[in-house]
Amino acid sequence: YSKEPKANINGHAQSSHSKTDYSRWRLLDERGRHTWKYLETDEEVEKWPQSTAEKYHLGMPTGLPDLPTPKTPLDSITNGLSYFSALQLPAGHWGCEYGGPMFLIPGLVITWYVTETPFPQAYATELKNYIFARAHPEDGGWGLHIEGHSSVFGTSMNYTALRLLGVSAEDPRMIKARGTLHKMGGAVQGPHWAKFWLTVLGVMQWDIVNPVPPELWLLPDWVPIAPWRWWIHMRQVFLPMSFVWSKKWQYPLTPLTRELQKELFTQPYDSINFLSHRNSISPHDNFHPKTWVLNTINWALVNVYNPYIRPNSLVEKAEAWAFELIRHEDENTVYANLGPVNGPMNLLSCYIQEGPDAESVRLHRDRMSDFLWVKDEGMLMNGTNGVQSWDTSFLVQAVVDAGLAGEPKWKPMLTKALEFLEDQQIHDDCPEQDKCYRHPRKGAWAFSTREQGYTVSDCTSEGAKAVMMLQDTPGYPKLVSDERIRDAVDILLTMQNASGGCASYEPQRGSEKMEYLNAAEVFGRIMVEYDYPECTTACITMLCMFRERDPVYRRQEIDAFVDRAADYIRRVQRPDGSWYGSWGICFTYAGMFALESLHAVGETYENSERVRRGCRFFLDRRTEDGGWGENYKSCDTGKYVEHPDGSQVVQTAWVVIGLIEAGFPDVEVLKKALTMIVKRQQSNGEWLQEGIEGVFNKSCMISYPNYKFIFPIKALGMFRQKYGDIDLV
Ligand code: LAN
């Protein structure tokens, strides 16, 4: 950072630039670690030319040529791959923005502010631009995610971030946003996380934050609610939050935060009874109301435990243990951290505990840019430090499924991808993994990078599948040994739940009743791991692929795993034939996976009533142009909701893949859907962005922009393999 001009957000940010010069942005790729740099001098610009991928992601003209008009699946795939291959990054993978959630930037900006962390002025400029670009077009507020309605969480936090980034309260856009916030009751009506961040900043008081006692970390492991049993994202956020809460740390007031105290509320700051607003929450935010159980516990903590019982010795012990766990998380991830919420919170915890000049603080500060991404609208904060391994695994599989891996044209691209996947497999478990409650990870792939290093069931499966598929194709080097594939199998065999299904990062460690203690208000189904048809399918298909190549290794366990997992898939099919998806939107996503699972265990349209029912569900929901389009509202209503814009390329591809997996016999249905996809392809081979593709925690949407390349290519390729390269248009 040292050479770049800094935004001094503590008091007087300069908002002199309204936009940076986009020809100066570069994406540094260090073995998949992404950081965007803004080149200040012409000399640097000359030395480091802008790549096609950078131009594409920045929304600048790529100069990629027009291609022959596609007629057949192969034509369309070739055009798509010509374009997409130009976006491959130097380490061999693909990247993209991974935005959607609108509560991430503010956490980072508040952390920068209160830890007095300098950062490039160009970041400040583009963060502002992005937040403004994503204001709700009608009321000027912000929602939980980019397509959502305005909420107190989104509006209070993003308004605050803009102010800290130097925007004047008198800017007309700010006046409008403030009006919207006030209409919703002001910042006291925000959810727990908003109250936490705004209190840390000093514009609220700790009384308004429901208790986050680090003492929970001292519970013996057998206790059913002990935090090690929670879903990893909840416990890793709860951890630094509990540390900061226990310290009751706040940034001293500044002229700017004094102004915010006047702007964020509907009544004079001094007249607010913060304690009485602990449970105030606007209906725009209250997606998952707190239960009476949690409210009772909070009441007892606030009125009895904290004032009269909480012994200092226990507090000290709990804080020390929490900090030790924070340190483990930092060291296990090389300070990259699990995600964009606990990353900044861990930085803040280290700052509080070890002071502004500590090594840990320096390392954390350096990692913050890993989460940031620049696009045409400005700079945003990604939901993870990237999608590297995940998207790369899928792209490889799509090309193999299309029967094109042997083509000399795609070999360099795929060889690089294989090298990347080899590099990203995790080699060792975490040191002292039991002490810090980490699941084994040797042999796994993470969603993003090896440094982040968290085992995910389906990321491991898809990574291993991609590697096996390529290494089985003549002409590819064998970079990942059989033993390392076996390591991946070993990990997967630890991931099955009692139900037969698979969860995301770990097998379920606690009861689903833990949801009674869900304090987040804005998310559902977050407290423990659940079974997911998507994750389960990935494990089934990986293990089936493996046992064909290696029929002896842990054979009985694999067979038993697959049988039980397939039973789970059968069991969670709804009577209408559908499956509910948790990570993509929604029934179209899960249906694709479930039909793939059933195919893997020999159930198809021909021999299975269940599969026919799954297909029927899709057929009943075709749009006029023969495609499918599903809206994100499916995720929270649990019912299929049609997309207001009609068919969507990505979801249409998902359904086509599902139908082909199922052995659905009516080729005209598939042809019509694919024709729609081919017609939407641009003359240079790309597909344009449509509705948002992904989701988490039922309520928050997240973008998977590379899906619009990967899944159409896969669907067209599978079709071509089955029916030949017939004319579609
Ligand atoms: C992800 C992204 C990838 C996703 C899949 C691999 C697609 C899925 O099949 C398993 C779960 C996983 C790994 C997943 C879990 C939750 C994440 C990490 C995210 C949706 C990306 C962002 C989200 C994370 C929780 C965002 C931070 C917000 C909090 C509530 C802590």
Side-chain angles (χ1 to χ4, degrees), residues 240-254:
M241 205 182 215
S242 71
F243 181 81
V244 177
W245 175 85
S246 189
K247 295 275 183 197
K248 300 286 175 331
W249 189 91
Q250 261 189 317
Y251 193 61
L253 281 175
T254 65

mmCIF file of all heavy atoms in Angstrom, residues 240-254:
data_model
loop_
_atom_site.group_PDB
_atom_site.id
_atom_site.type_symbol
_atom_site.label_atom_id
_atom_site.label_comp_id
_atom_site.label_asym_id
_atom_site.label_seq_id
_atom_site.Cartn_x
_atom_site.Cartn_y
_atom_site.Cartn_z
ATOM 1 N N PRO A 240 -15.617 -13.414 17.257
ATOM 2 C CA PRO A 240 -15.069 -12.075 17.476
ATOM 3 C C PRO A 240 -16.127 -11.103 18.005
ATOM 4 O O PRO A 240 -15.803 -10.177 18.757
ATOM 5 C CB PRO A 240 -14.582 -11.648 16.087
ATOM 6 C CG PRO A 240 -15.337 -12.488 15.120
ATOM 7 C CD PRO A 240 -15.612 -13.788 15.828
ATOM 8 N N MET A 241 -17.388 -11.339 17.615
ATOM 9 C CA MET A 241 -18.435 -10.453 18.098
ATOM 10 C C MET A 241 -18.549 -10.561 19.616
ATOM 11 O O MET A 241 -18.712 -9.560 20.323
ATOM 12 C CB MET A 241 -19.752 -10.890 17.460
ATOM 13 C CG MET A 241 -20.771 -9.825 17.342
ATOM 14 S SD MET A 241 -22.233 -10.575 16.615
ATOM 15 C CE MET A 241 -22.802 -9.237 15.661
ATOM 16 N N SER A 242 -18.437 -11.763 20.124
ATOM 17 C CA SER A 242 -18.548 -11.949 21.573
ATOM 18 C C SER A 242 -17.358 -11.303 22.274
ATOM 19 O O SER A 242 -17.489 -10.719 23.348
ATOM 20 C CB SER A 242 -18.644 -13.439 21.930
ATOM 21 O OG SER A 242 -17.411 -14.108 21.712
ATOM 22 N N PHE A 243 -16.212 -11.367 21.636
ATOM 23 C CA PHE A 243 -15.020 -10.753 22.222
ATOM 24 C C PHE A 243 -15.191 -9.236 22.324
ATOM 25 O O PHE A 243 -14.983 -8.632 23.372
ATOM 26 C CB PHE A 243 -13.797 -11.111 21.372
ATOM 27 C CG PHE A 243 -12.514 -10.539 21.900
ATOM 28 C CD1 PHE A 243 -11.835 -11.152 22.939
ATOM 29 C CD2 PHE A 243 -11.986 -9.367 21.355
ATOM 30 C CE1 PHE A 243 -10.656 -10.609 23.438
ATOM 31 C CE2 PHE A 243 -10.807 -8.823 21.843
ATOM 32 C CZ PHE A 243 -10.141 -9.443 22.887
ATOM 33 N N VAL A 244 -15.624 -8.636 21.234
ATOM 34 C CA VAL A 244 -15.778 -7.177 21.199
ATOM 35 C C VAL A 244 -16.917 -6.742 22.131
ATOM 36 O O VAL A 244 -16.808 -5.753 22.860
ATOM 37 C CB VAL A 244 -16.041 -6.687 19.752
ATOM 38 C CG1 VAL A 244 -16.278 -5.183 19.716
ATOM 39 C CG2 VAL A 244 -14.882 -7.068 18.838
ATOM 40 N N TRP A 245 -17.990 -7.510 22.116
ATOM 41 C CA TRP A 245 -19.128 -7.196 22.993
ATOM 42 C C TRP A 245 -18.687 -7.217 24.459
ATOM 43 O O TRP A 245 -19.005 -6.321 25.233
ATOM 44 C CB TRP A 245 -20.265 -8.199 22.769
ATOM 45 C CG TRP A 245 -21.410 -8.015 23.721
ATOM 46 C CD1 TRP A 245 -22.459 -7.155 23.577
ATOM 47 C CD2 TRP A 245 -21.605 -8.687 24.971
ATOM 48 N NE1 TRP A 245 -23.295 -7.247 24.661
ATOM 49 C CE2 TRP A 245 -22.801 -8.181 25.529
ATOM 50 C CE3 TRP A 245 -20.891 -9.663 25.679
ATOM 51 C CZ2 TRP A 245 -23.306 -8.616 26.758
ATOM 52 C CZ3 TRP A 245 -21.384 -10.101 26.896
ATOM 53 C CH2 TRP A 245 -22.577 -9.582 27.428
ATOM 54 N N SER A 246 -17.931 -8.251 24.800
ATOM 55 C CA SER A 246 -17.518 -8.402 26.191
ATOM 56 C C SER A 246 -16.621 -7.245 26.617
ATOM 57 O O SER A 246 -16.708 -6.752 27.739
ATOM 58 C CB SER A 246 -16.789 -9.735 26.348
ATOM 59 O OG SER A 246 -16.551 -10.003 27.699
ATOM 60 N N LYS A 247 -15.800 -6.772 25.692
ATOM 61 C CA LYS A 247 -14.926 -5.629 25.992
ATOM 62 C C LYS A 247 -15.703 -4.317 25.993
ATOM 63 O O LYS A 247 -15.182 -3.294 26.416
ATOM 64 C CB LYS A 247 -13.822 -5.514 24.927
ATOM 65 C CG LYS A 247 -12.859 -6.677 24.897
ATOM 66 C CD LYS A 247 -11.760 -6.460 25.918
ATOM 67 C CE LYS A 247 -10.732 -7.581 25.856
ATOM 68 N NZ LYS A 247 -9.896 -7.639 27.050
ATOM 69 N N LYS A 248 -16.892 -4.341 25.464
ATOM 70 C CA LYS A 248 -17.720 -3.133 25.308
ATOM 71 C C LYS A 248 -16.892 -2.014 24.659
ATOM 72 O O LYS A 248 -16.932 -0.845 25.053
ATOM 73 C CB LYS A 248 -18.283 -2.646 26.658
ATOM 74 C CG LYS A 248 -19.153 -3.659 27.362
ATOM 75 C CD LYS A 248 -20.488 -3.769 26.678
ATOM 76 C CE LYS A 248 -21.432 -4.824 27.185
ATOM 77 N NZ LYS A 248 -20.999 -6.032 27.785
ATOM 78 N N TRP A 249 -16.135 -2.412 23.674
ATOM 79 C CA TRP A 249 -15.219 -1.465 23.025
ATOM 80 C C TRP A 249 -15.992 -0.557 22.075
ATOM 81 O O TRP A 249 -16.909 -0.978 21.380
ATOM 82 C CB TRP A 249 -14.157 -2.263 22.254
ATOM 83 C CG TRP A 249 -13.039 -1.406 21.732
ATOM 84 C CD1 TRP A 249 -11.871 -1.109 22.366
ATOM 85 C CD2 TRP A 249 -12.993 -0.736 20.462
ATOM 86 N NE1 TRP A 249 -11.101 -0.294 21.576
ATOM 87 C CE2 TRP A 249 -11.763 -0.044 20.407
ATOM 88 C CE3 TRP A 249 -13.863 -0.635 19.379
ATOM 89 C CZ2 TRP A 249 -11.378 0.721 19.308
ATOM 90 C CZ3 TRP A 249 -13.489 0.123 18.287
ATOM 91 C CH2 TRP A 249 -12.261 0.796 18.256
ATOM 92 N N GLN A 250 -15.635 0.700 22.068
ATOM 93 C CA GLN A 250 -16.265 1.672 21.165
ATOM 94 C C GLN A 250 -15.226 2.670 20.709
ATOM 95 O O GLN A 250 -14.349 3.043 21.479
ATOM 96 C CB GLN A 250 -17.328 2.465 21.932
ATOM 97 C CG GLN A 250 -18.712 1.986 21.720
ATOM 98 C CD GLN A 250 -19.732 2.921 22.324
ATOM 99 O OE1 GLN A 250 -19.536 3.403 23.443
ATOM 100 N NE2 GLN A 250 -20.801 3.170 21.605
ATOM 101 N N TYR A 251 -15.383 3.148 19.496
ATOM 102 C CA TYR A 251 -14.476 4.189 19.012
ATOM 103 C C TYR A 251 -14.875 5.515 19.646
ATOM 104 O O TYR A 251 -16.067 5.828 19.722
ATOM 105 C CB TYR A 251 -14.581 4.278 17.489
ATOM 106 C CG TYR A 251 -13.481 5.085 16.849
ATOM 107 C CD1 TYR A 251 -12.152 4.703 16.988
ATOM 108 C CD2 TYR A 251 -13.778 6.213 16.092
ATOM 109 C CE1 TYR A 251 -11.141 5.437 16.389
ATOM 110 C CE2 TYR A 251 -12.767 6.951 15.484
ATOM 111 C CZ TYR A 251 -11.449 6.564 15.643
ATOM 112 O OH TYR A 251 -10.454 7.287 15.050
ATOM 113 N N PRO A 252 -13.904 6.299 20.099
ATOM 114 C CA PRO A 252 -14.260 7.599 20.692
ATOM 115 C C PRO A 252 -14.981 8.474 19.665
ATOM 116 O O PRO A 252 -14.704 8.383 18.467
ATOM 117 C CB PRO A 252 -12.901 8.212 21.046
ATOM 118 C CG PRO A 252 -11.889 7.143 20.894
ATOM 119 C CD PRO A 252 -12.463 6.047 20.075
ATOM 120 N N LEU A 253 -15.867 9.320 20.148
ATOM 121 C CA LEU A 253 -16.644 10.155 19.227
ATOM 122 C C LEU A 253 -15.748 11.106 18.440
ATOM 123 O O LEU A 253 -14.746 11.605 18.947
ATOM 124 C CB LEU A 253 -17.670 10.951 20.004
ATOM 125 C CG LEU A 253 -18.922 10.162 20.395
ATOM 126 C CD1 LEU A 253 -19.828 11.011 21.261
ATOM 127 C CD2 LEU A 253 -19.662 9.672 19.160
ATOM 128 N N THR A 254 -16.129 11.326 17.194
ATOM 129 C CA THR A 254 -15.447 12.296 16.343
ATOM 130 C C THR A 254 -16.519 13.284 15.867
ATOM 131 O O THR A 254 -17.714 13.002 16.011
ATOM 132 C CB THR A 254 -14.844 11.601 15.104
ATOM 133 O OG1 THR A 254 -15.922 11.098 14.306
ATOM 134 C CG2 THR A 254 -13.913 10.464 15.479
#
